[in-house]
Amino acid sequence: MTQWTIKRNPNPTPDAEREAIIEAPTFGTHFTDHMVTVVWEKDKGWHSATVEPYGPIMMDPSAAVLHYGQEIFEGIKAYRHQDGSIWTFRPEANAKRLQKSAHRMALPELPVEIFVESLHKLLEVDGAWVPQPVNEKTLYIRPFEIAAENFLGVRAAQRAEYRVIASPVGPYFTGGIKPVSIWIALDSARAGKHGTGEAKTGGNYAASLLAQGEGYEHGCSQVMFLDAETATYIEELGGMNLFFVYKDGHVATPSLDGTILRGITRDSVVTLLRDRGHRVEERKITLDEVREGINSGEITEVFACGTAAVITPVGQFKSREGNIGREDAEPGELTVSLRNELTGIQYGTVEDRHGWMHKLVD
Ligand code: PLP
Ligand code: COI
Protein backbone atom coordinates (compact mmCIF):
# COMPACT_ATOMS: atom_id res chain seq x y z
CA MET A 1 0.00 0.00 0.00
CA THR A 2 1.27 3.38 -0.94
CA GLN A 3 1.43 6.04 1.79
CA TRP A 4 -0.87 8.91 0.85
CA THR A 5 -0.71 12.45 2.18
CA ILE A 6 -4.04 14.29 2.03
CA LYS A 7 -3.88 18.09 2.03
CA ARG A 8 -7.43 19.43 2.13
CA ASN A 9 -8.25 22.54 0.12
CA PRO A 10 -8.77 25.31 2.70
CA ASN A 11 -10.91 27.23 0.19
CA PRO A 12 -13.14 24.71 -1.58
CA THR A 13 -15.74 25.92 -4.06
CA PRO A 14 -18.84 27.01 -2.09
CA ASP A 15 -21.65 24.40 -2.18
CA ALA A 16 -24.06 26.58 -4.15
CA GLU A 17 -21.43 27.36 -6.78
CA ARG A 18 -20.44 23.69 -7.13
CA GLU A 19 -24.10 22.67 -7.43
CA ALA A 20 -24.64 25.24 -10.19
CA ILE A 21 -21.59 23.93 -12.08
CA ILE A 22 -22.56 20.26 -11.87
CA GLU A 23 -26.15 21.06 -12.78
CA ALA A 24 -25.06 22.32 -16.22
CA PRO A 25 -21.52 21.10 -16.86
CA THR A 26 -19.60 21.73 -20.06
CA PHE A 27 -16.74 19.48 -21.15
CA GLY A 28 -13.46 20.18 -19.41
CA THR A 29 -14.02 23.75 -18.25
CA HIS A 30 -14.46 23.46 -14.48
CA PHE A 31 -12.35 21.35 -12.16
CA THR A 32 -12.86 19.87 -8.71
CA ASP A 33 -11.22 21.20 -5.53
CA HIS A 34 -8.35 18.70 -5.43
CA MET A 35 -5.82 16.92 -7.61
CA VAL A 36 -3.49 13.97 -7.20
CA THR A 37 0.28 14.09 -7.60
CA VAL A 38 2.71 11.16 -7.44
CA VAL A 39 6.39 11.71 -8.22
CA TRP A 40 8.83 9.30 -9.87
CA GLU A 41 12.58 9.59 -9.79
CA LYS A 42 14.94 7.17 -11.44
CA ASP A 43 16.80 6.36 -8.24
CA LYS A 44 13.77 6.38 -5.91
CA GLY A 45 10.87 5.00 -7.92
CA TRP A 46 7.32 6.26 -7.24
CA HIS A 47 6.91 8.32 -4.07
CA SER A 48 5.16 11.30 -2.47
CA ALA A 49 1.60 10.26 -3.34
CA THR A 50 -0.46 13.30 -2.45
CA VAL A 51 -3.97 14.66 -2.75
CA GLU A 52 -3.69 18.45 -2.68
CA PRO A 53 -5.70 21.54 -3.58
CA TYR A 54 -6.33 21.92 -7.33
CA GLY A 55 -4.17 24.67 -8.76
CA PRO A 56 -1.36 25.69 -11.10
CA ILE A 57 1.65 23.41 -11.06
CA MET A 58 5.16 24.73 -10.59
CA MET A 59 7.35 23.83 -13.50
CA ASP A 60 10.82 24.86 -14.51
CA PRO A 61 10.94 26.26 -18.07
CA SER A 62 13.48 23.56 -18.92
CA ALA A 63 11.10 20.72 -17.91
CA ALA A 64 11.43 18.03 -20.56
CA VAL A 65 7.70 17.78 -21.30
CA LEU A 66 7.67 21.37 -22.55
CA HIS A 67 10.30 20.61 -25.17
CA TYR A 68 10.04 17.01 -26.31
CA GLY A 69 6.41 16.19 -25.60
CA GLN A 70 6.99 13.26 -23.27
CA GLU A 71 3.40 13.16 -22.03
CA ILE A 72 0.67 10.54 -21.76
CA PHE A 73 -2.87 10.62 -20.44
CA GLU A 74 -6.04 8.69 -19.76
CA GLY A 75 -9.75 9.46 -19.75
CA ILE A 76 -12.13 7.68 -17.37
CA LYS A 77 -15.41 8.66 -15.74
CA ALA A 78 -17.01 8.46 -12.30
CA TYR A 79 -20.75 7.67 -12.29
CA ARG A 80 -23.18 8.32 -9.47
CA HIS A 81 -25.70 5.55 -8.93
CA GLN A 82 -29.26 6.04 -7.69
CA ASP A 83 -28.26 5.13 -4.11
CA GLY A 84 -25.65 7.91 -4.12
CA SER A 85 -22.61 5.60 -4.40
CA ILE A 86 -19.85 6.47 -6.90
CA TRP A 87 -18.47 4.00 -9.42
CA THR A 88 -16.02 3.87 -12.28
CA PHE A 89 -15.70 1.65 -15.35
CA ARG A 90 -12.86 -0.86 -15.94
CA PRO A 91 -10.13 1.18 -14.18
CA GLU A 92 -7.55 -1.61 -14.48
CA ALA A 93 -7.89 -1.40 -18.26
CA ASN A 94 -7.06 2.31 -18.19
CA ALA A 95 -4.19 1.65 -15.78
CA LYS A 96 -2.72 -0.96 -18.10
CA ARG A 97 -3.13 1.28 -21.13
CA LEU A 98 -1.33 4.08 -19.28
CA GLN A 99 1.51 1.62 -18.69
CA LYS A 100 1.63 0.72 -22.39
CA SER A 101 1.64 4.39 -23.33
CA ALA A 102 4.41 4.98 -20.78
CA HIS A 103 6.49 2.20 -22.27
CA ARG A 104 6.16 3.66 -25.79
CA MET A 105 6.98 7.19 -24.66
CA ALA A 106 9.93 6.11 -22.46
CA LEU A 107 8.16 7.19 -19.28
CA PRO A 108 8.03 5.13 -16.07
CA GLU A 109 5.11 2.70 -15.71
CA LEU A 110 2.80 3.57 -12.84
CA PRO A 111 1.74 0.42 -10.92
CA VAL A 112 -1.91 -0.49 -11.58
CA GLU A 113 -2.73 -0.34 -7.86
CA ILE A 114 -1.47 3.26 -7.53
CA PHE A 115 -3.62 4.25 -10.53
CA VAL A 116 -6.73 2.68 -9.00
CA GLU A 117 -5.91 4.06 -5.53
CA SER A 118 -5.46 7.54 -7.00
CA LEU A 119 -9.08 7.48 -8.23
CA HIS A 120 -10.29 6.35 -4.79
CA LYS A 121 -8.30 9.05 -3.02
CA LEU A 122 -9.47 11.85 -5.29
CA LEU A 123 -13.12 10.79 -5.17
CA GLU A 124 -13.02 10.40 -1.39
CA VAL A 125 -12.43 14.16 -1.10
CA ASP A 126 -14.22 15.35 -4.26
CA GLY A 127 -17.19 12.96 -4.37
CA ALA A 128 -19.63 15.87 -4.11
CA TRP A 129 -18.52 16.88 -7.62
CA VAL A 130 -20.06 13.80 -9.25
CA PRO A 131 -23.36 14.95 -10.78
CA GLN A 132 -26.69 13.20 -10.32
CA PRO A 133 -27.18 10.40 -12.87
CA VAL A 134 -29.29 12.29 -15.38
CA ASN A 135 -28.70 13.47 -18.94
CA GLU A 136 -25.36 11.69 -19.22
CA LYS A 137 -23.75 13.79 -16.53
CA THR A 138 -20.59 12.34 -15.01
CA LEU A 139 -17.28 13.37 -13.54
CA TYR A 140 -14.61 13.05 -16.24
CA ILE A 141 -11.27 12.10 -14.71
CA ARG A 142 -8.03 12.92 -16.47
CA PRO A 143 -4.98 11.05 -15.17
CA PHE A 144 -1.76 12.10 -16.93
CA GLU A 145 1.98 11.69 -16.69
CA ILE A 146 4.65 14.17 -17.68
CA ALA A 147 8.44 14.24 -17.96
CA ALA A 148 9.39 16.66 -15.21
CA GLU A 149 13.17 16.63 -15.31
CA ASN A 150 14.79 20.03 -15.80
CA PHE A 151 17.17 19.12 -18.60
CA LEU A 152 17.32 19.93 -22.30
CA GLY A 153 19.20 16.81 -23.35
CA VAL A 154 17.16 14.55 -25.58
CA ARG A 155 16.77 11.34 -23.59
CA ALA A 156 14.13 9.74 -21.38
CA ALA A 157 13.54 11.98 -18.37
CA GLN A 158 14.78 10.76 -15.02
CA ARG A 159 11.97 12.51 -13.15
CA ALA A 160 8.28 12.25 -13.94
CA GLU A 161 5.01 13.28 -12.35
CA TYR A 162 1.69 11.44 -12.44
CA ARG A 163 -1.25 13.71 -11.81
CA VAL A 164 -5.02 13.39 -11.78
CA ILE A 165 -7.56 16.16 -12.25
CA ALA A 166 -11.32 15.86 -12.68
CA SER A 167 -14.04 17.87 -14.37
CA PRO A 168 -17.83 17.48 -14.21
CA VAL A 169 -19.11 16.94 -17.75
CA GLY A 170 -22.30 16.60 -19.72
CA PRO A 171 -22.53 14.95 -23.15
CA TYR A 172 -19.37 15.50 -25.26
CA PHE A 173 -21.56 16.32 -28.24
CA THR A 174 -24.29 18.71 -27.24
CA GLY A 175 -27.70 18.40 -28.86
CA GLY A 176 -28.81 14.97 -27.68
CA ILE A 177 -28.32 11.67 -29.46
CA LYS A 178 -28.22 13.00 -32.97
CA PRO A 179 -25.87 11.84 -35.68
CA VAL A 180 -22.64 13.80 -36.06
CA SER A 181 -20.82 14.63 -39.30
CA ILE A 182 -17.25 13.51 -39.73
CA TRP A 183 -14.56 15.18 -41.85
CA ILE A 184 -12.24 12.76 -43.67
CA ALA A 185 -8.61 13.87 -43.35
CA LEU A 186 -7.17 13.36 -46.83
CA ASP A 187 -4.12 15.58 -46.42
CA SER A 188 -2.85 14.73 -42.96
CA ALA A 189 -2.25 11.54 -41.05
CA ARG A 190 -2.39 10.99 -37.33
CA ALA A 191 -0.07 8.03 -36.92
CA GLY A 192 2.25 5.83 -38.95
CA LYS A 193 3.65 2.32 -38.76
CA HIS A 194 5.76 1.82 -35.63
CA GLY A 195 4.88 5.37 -34.56
CA THR A 196 2.99 6.43 -31.47
CA GLY A 197 -0.61 5.96 -32.69
CA GLU A 198 -1.42 3.31 -30.13
CA ALA A 199 -0.13 5.43 -27.24
CA LYS A 200 -2.42 7.96 -25.64
CA THR A 201 0.05 10.79 -25.93
CA GLY A 202 -0.57 14.49 -26.44
CA GLY A 203 1.32 14.64 -29.75
CA ASN A 204 -1.26 12.44 -31.47
CA TYR A 205 -3.92 14.95 -30.58
CA ALA A 206 -1.80 17.91 -31.65
CA ALA A 207 -1.31 16.09 -34.97
CA SER A 208 -5.09 15.87 -35.39
CA LEU A 209 -5.89 19.54 -34.84
CA LEU A 210 -5.13 20.93 -38.29
CA ALA A 211 -7.56 18.51 -39.92
CA GLN A 212 -10.00 19.01 -37.05
CA GLY A 213 -10.00 22.76 -37.79
CA GLU A 214 -10.73 22.01 -41.43
CA GLY A 215 -13.55 19.75 -40.27
CA TYR A 216 -15.10 22.50 -38.14
CA GLU A 217 -15.08 24.79 -41.18
CA HIS A 218 -17.15 22.17 -42.98
CA GLY A 219 -19.61 21.68 -40.14
CA CYS A 220 -18.04 18.47 -38.85
CA SER A 221 -17.42 17.79 -35.19
CA GLN A 222 -14.73 15.10 -35.59
CA VAL A 223 -12.10 14.01 -38.08
CA MET A 224 -11.55 10.53 -39.44
CA PHE A 225 -7.99 9.47 -40.17
CA LEU A 226 -6.90 6.97 -42.80
CA ASP A 227 -3.72 4.90 -42.81
CA ALA A 228 -0.68 7.11 -43.35
CA GLU A 229 0.92 4.91 -46.01
CA THR A 230 -1.85 4.48 -48.56
CA ALA A 231 -4.79 6.65 -47.36
CA THR A 232 -6.98 3.63 -48.13
CA TYR A 233 -7.92 2.11 -44.79
CA ILE A 234 -10.06 3.64 -42.09
CA GLU A 235 -8.29 4.04 -38.77
CA GLU A 236 -10.20 6.09 -36.19
CA LEU A 237 -11.45 9.54 -35.28
CA GLY A 238 -9.40 12.17 -33.46
CA GLY A 239 -10.78 10.93 -30.12
CA MET A 240 -13.00 7.90 -30.82
CA ASN A 241 -13.08 4.45 -32.42
CA LEU A 242 -15.49 3.56 -35.25
CA PHE A 243 -17.97 0.73 -35.89
CA PHE A 244 -19.92 -0.20 -39.05
CA VAL A 245 -23.15 -2.21 -38.86
CA TYR A 246 -24.12 -4.33 -41.89
CA LYS A 247 -27.58 -5.25 -43.17
CA ASP A 248 -27.14 -8.93 -42.19
CA GLY A 249 -26.40 -7.94 -38.57
CA HIS A 250 -22.64 -8.38 -38.54
CA VAL A 251 -20.49 -5.52 -37.37
CA ALA A 252 -16.97 -4.47 -38.41
CA THR A 253 -14.40 -2.26 -36.72
CA PRO A 254 -10.80 -1.48 -37.74
CA SER A 255 -8.35 -3.99 -36.28
CA LEU A 256 -5.75 -2.92 -33.73
CA ASP A 257 -2.63 -2.83 -35.87
CA GLY A 258 -0.56 -0.45 -33.78
CA THR A 259 -1.66 2.86 -35.25
CA ILE A 260 -4.99 3.30 -33.44
CA LEU A 261 -5.92 3.59 -29.80
CA ARG A 262 -7.07 0.40 -28.05
CA GLY A 263 -10.32 1.94 -26.90
CA ILE A 264 -11.83 0.50 -23.75
CA THR A 265 -15.30 1.43 -24.98
CA ARG A 266 -14.42 -0.30 -28.27
CA ASP A 267 -13.46 -3.46 -26.42
CA SER A 268 -16.63 -3.32 -24.30
CA VAL A 269 -18.83 -2.78 -27.36
CA VAL A 270 -17.26 -5.80 -29.10
CA THR A 271 -18.12 -7.89 -26.02
CA LEU A 272 -21.70 -6.57 -25.78
CA LEU A 273 -22.25 -7.23 -29.49
CA ARG A 274 -20.92 -10.79 -29.25
CA ASP A 275 -23.11 -11.35 -26.15
CA ARG A 276 -26.08 -10.45 -28.34
CA GLY A 277 -25.01 -12.93 -30.99
CA HIS A 278 -23.66 -10.46 -33.55
CA ARG A 279 -20.62 -11.52 -35.54
CA VAL A 280 -17.94 -8.88 -34.99
CA GLU A 281 -15.07 -8.57 -37.43
CA GLU A 282 -11.93 -6.74 -36.40
CA ARG A 283 -10.21 -6.22 -39.72
CA LYS A 284 -8.97 -3.72 -42.27
CA ILE A 285 -11.83 -1.62 -43.67
CA THR A 286 -11.33 0.52 -46.75
CA LEU A 287 -12.92 3.91 -47.31
CA ASP A 288 -14.19 2.52 -50.64
CA GLU A 289 -16.00 -0.30 -48.85
CA VAL A 290 -17.67 2.19 -46.54
CA ARG A 291 -18.64 4.52 -49.39
CA GLU A 292 -20.12 1.69 -51.43
CA GLY A 293 -21.72 0.05 -48.39
CA ILE A 294 -23.48 3.21 -47.27
CA ASN A 295 -24.58 4.09 -50.82
CA SER A 296 -25.95 0.59 -51.49
CA GLY A 297 -27.59 0.20 -48.08
CA GLU A 298 -25.30 -2.72 -47.19
CA ILE A 299 -24.01 -0.66 -44.24
CA THR A 300 -27.01 0.40 -42.19
CA GLU A 301 -25.44 2.16 -39.20
CA VAL A 302 -22.16 3.83 -38.31
CA PHE A 303 -21.22 4.83 -34.78
CA ALA A 304 -18.24 6.22 -32.92
CA CYS A 305 -17.34 5.37 -29.36
CA GLY A 306 -15.08 6.50 -26.57
CA THR A 307 -15.16 7.46 -22.91
CA ALA A 308 -15.96 11.10 -23.57
CA ALA A 309 -18.38 10.48 -26.46
CA VAL A 310 -19.90 7.20 -25.15
CA ILE A 311 -21.63 5.82 -28.29
CA THR A 312 -22.48 8.45 -30.88
CA PRO A 313 -24.20 7.84 -34.20
CA VAL A 314 -22.43 9.07 -37.33
CA GLY A 315 -24.67 10.54 -40.02
CA GLN A 316 -22.37 11.73 -42.75
CA PHE A 317 -18.75 11.63 -43.84
CA LYS A 318 -17.57 14.72 -45.71
CA SER A 319 -14.43 15.48 -47.67
CA ARG A 320 -13.28 17.61 -50.58
CA GLU A 321 -13.99 14.55 -52.74
CA GLY A 322 -17.68 14.51 -51.81
CA ASN A 323 -20.02 13.36 -49.07
CA ILE A 324 -21.15 9.92 -47.96
CA GLY A 325 -24.41 9.31 -46.10
CA ARG A 326 -26.96 11.84 -44.90
CA GLU A 327 -26.60 14.61 -42.38
CA ASP A 328 -30.23 14.19 -41.27
CA ALA A 329 -29.99 10.41 -40.81
CA GLU A 330 -31.88 8.97 -37.85
CA PRO A 331 -29.73 7.32 -35.16
CA GLY A 332 -29.56 3.57 -35.89
CA GLU A 333 -31.52 1.08 -33.80
CA LEU A 334 -28.51 -0.99 -32.76
CA THR A 335 -26.50 2.17 -31.98
CA VAL A 336 -29.21 3.46 -29.65
CA SER A 337 -29.79 0.14 -27.92
CA LEU A 338 -26.06 -0.47 -27.36
CA ARG A 339 -25.71 3.00 -25.99
CA ASN A 340 -28.59 2.41 -23.59
CA GLU A 341 -27.08 -0.89 -22.49
CA LEU A 342 -23.60 0.55 -21.91
CA THR A 343 -24.79 3.66 -20.07
CA GLY A 344 -27.22 1.46 -18.11
CA ILE A 345 -24.31 -0.69 -16.91
CA GLN A 346 -22.32 2.43 -16.05
CA TYR A 347 -25.17 4.07 -14.12
CA GLY A 348 -26.04 0.79 -12.39
CA THR A 349 -29.48 0.26 -13.93
CA VAL A 350 -28.47 -2.66 -16.20
CA GLU A 351 -26.83 -5.82 -14.85
CA ASP A 352 -23.01 -5.70 -14.96
CA ARG A 353 -22.48 -9.23 -16.33
CA HIS A 354 -18.77 -8.78 -16.94
CA GLY A 355 -17.72 -7.23 -13.62
CA TRP A 356 -16.73 -3.97 -15.30
CA MET A 357 -17.93 -1.62 -12.58
CA HIS A 358 -15.66 -0.68 -9.69
CA LYS A 359 -16.99 1.09 -6.62
CA LEU A 360 -15.01 4.18 -5.58
CA VAL A 361 -17.14 5.65 -2.78
CA ASP A 362 -20.08 4.17 -0.80
N1 PLP B 1 -9.36 6.81 -30.03
C1 PLP B 1 -8.79 7.93 -29.58
C2 PLP B 1 -7.79 8.61 -30.43
C3 PLP B 1 -9.15 8.44 -28.30
O1 PLP B 1 -8.61 9.55 -27.83
C4 PLP B 1 -10.12 7.74 -27.54
C5 PLP B 1 -10.52 8.26 -26.23
O2 PLP B 1 -9.99 7.94 -25.21
C6 PLP B 1 -10.66 6.57 -28.05
C7 PLP B 1 -10.26 6.13 -29.30
C8 PLP B 1 -11.62 5.77 -27.25
O3 PLP B 1 -10.99 5.15 -26.16
P1 PLP B 1 -11.75 4.81 -24.83
O4 PLP B 1 -12.96 4.08 -25.22
O5 PLP B 1 -10.81 3.99 -24.04
O6 PLP B 1 -12.07 6.11 -24.18
C1 COI C 1 -11.66 10.33 -24.03
O1 COI C 1 -12.69 9.92 -24.55
O2 COI C 1 -11.43 10.13 -22.83
C2 COI C 1 -10.63 11.04 -24.79
O3 COI C 1 -9.54 11.11 -24.34
C3 COI C 1 -10.92 11.66 -26.07
C4 COI C 1 -11.41 13.00 -25.94
C5 COI C 1 -10.71 14.00 -25.15
C6 COI C 1 -12.16 13.49 -27.09
Side-chain angles (χ1 to χ4, degrees):
M1 277 296 265
T2 314
Q3 264 311 100
W4 284 84
T5 304
I6 314 291
K7 296 181 192 157
R8 286 254 173 194
N9 190 332
N11 298 304
T13 312
D15 289 351
E17 199 179 313
R18 184 192 64 240
E19 286 306 315
I21 293 169
I22 69 176
E23 184 62 32
T26 49
F27 191 88
T29 49
H30 289 92
F31 297 90
T32 65
D33 292 315
H34 297 85
M35 62 184 184
V36 163
T37 304
V38 189
V39 177
W40 177 89
E41 286 170 286
K42 195 165 186 223
D43 52 349
K44 289 195 190 140
W46 291 100
H47 65 88
S48 305
T50 311
V51 175
E52 59 193 326
Y54 182 91
I57 53 183
M58 283 286 284
M59 196 177 277
D60 194 275
S62 70
V65 65
L66 300 177
H67 303 274
Y68 310 125
Q70 233 191 325
E71 186 268 359
I72 54 174
F73 68 97
E74 272 303 323
I76 184 166
K77 283 173 169 173
Y79 307 85
R80 189 178 294 286
H81 285 188
Q82 284 302 341
D83 65 359
S85 58
I86 299 169
W87 298 70
T88 192
F89 185 72
R90 306 186 67 182
E92 290 86 3
N94 290 85
K96 287 182 187 147
R97 188 169 65 188
L98 188 73
Q99 290 185 328
K100 286 190 76 169
S101 300
H103 177 75
R104 179 63 184 86
M105 303 307 291
L107 280 162
E109 292 179 31
L110 183 80
V112 170
E113 60 275 16
I114 300 185
F115 181 95
V116 176
E117 257 175 46
S118 73
L119 308 183
H120 279 265
K121 297 292 171 192
L122 186 62
L123 268 294
E124 277 163 20
V125 294
D126 278 339
W129 284 89
V130 183
Q132 291 304 316
V134 285
N135 302 333
E136 257 188 55
K137 284 188 261 185
T138 58
L139 184 70
Y140 182 80
I141 307 172
R142 172 54 61 85
F144 62 105
E145 198 182 315
I146 53 177
E149 185 185 355
N150 305 330
F151 176 51
L152 290 186
V154 185
R155 60 146 169 74
Q158 299 188 352
R159 185 178 187 283
E161 291 169 1
Y162 165 74
R163 293 180 181 270
V164 188
I165 57 173
S167 165
V169 299
Y172 189 74
F173 296 116
T174 48
I177 176 166
K178 79 170 197 269
V180 295
S181 296
I182 305 289
W183 181 248
I184 307 172
L186 294 177
D187 306 310
S188 70
R190 174 187 172 277
K193 195 173 175 187
H194 301 315
T196 59
E198 202 178 75
K200 203 160 165 63
T201 182
N204 291 341
Y205 297 79
S208 77
L209 298 181
L210 185 63
Q212 169 96 17
E214 227 174 72
Y216 286 152
E217 281 168 25
H218 291 86
C220 295
S221 43
Q222 275 280 306
V223 176
M224 179 170 80
F225 290 96
L226 305 173
D227 75 287
E229 229 159 305
T230 66
T232 308
Y233 301 103
I234 286 173
E235 300 226 306
E236 63 176 330
L237 306 186
M240 280 148 240
N241 294 115
L242 272 173
F243 281 81
F244 302 90
V245 182
Y246 288 73
K247 202 165 63 182
D248 68 0
H250 87 271
V251 179
T253 189
S255 39
L256 302 170
D257 296 332
T259 51
I260 70 173
L261 198 76
R262 292 175 170 265
I264 293 156
T265 318
R266 174 192 181 283
D267 182 73
S268 310
V269 164
V270 168
T271 300
L272 294 179
L273 282 166
R274 288 184 176 148
D275 285 353
R276 291 174 180 218
H278 290 268
R279 178 164 52 96
V280 183
E281 295 174 350
E282 298 180 64
R283 60 170 170 87
K284 288 194 179 301
I285 300 169
T286 63
L287 180 57
D288 284 345
E289 173 183 343
V290 166
R291 183 184 299 107
E292 284 156 25
I294 291 176
N295 288 342
S296 69
E298 195 60 30
I299 293 177
T300 52
E301 300 181 31
V302 183
F303 65 86
C305 68
T307 299
V310 196
I311 291 176
T312 297
V314 172
Q316 193 171 44
F317 293 98
K318 296 185 180 181
S319 78
R320 57 174 157 73
E321 291 180 351
N323 299 343
I324 311 169
R326 287 180 27 210
E327 211 156 19
D328 60 353
E330 286 295 313
E333 208 177 303
L334 183 60
T335 305
V336 173
S337 94
L338 272 175
R339 179 190 166 96
N340 290 341
E341 184 176 3
L342 182 64
T343 53
I345 293 169
Q346 292 167 333
Y347 284 112
T349 57
V350 167
E351 189 199 347
D352 174 22
R353 295 186 305 275
H354 297 283
W356 285 338
M357 298 308 291
H358 177 108
K359 195 187 257 191
L360 291 173
V361 182
D362 260 323

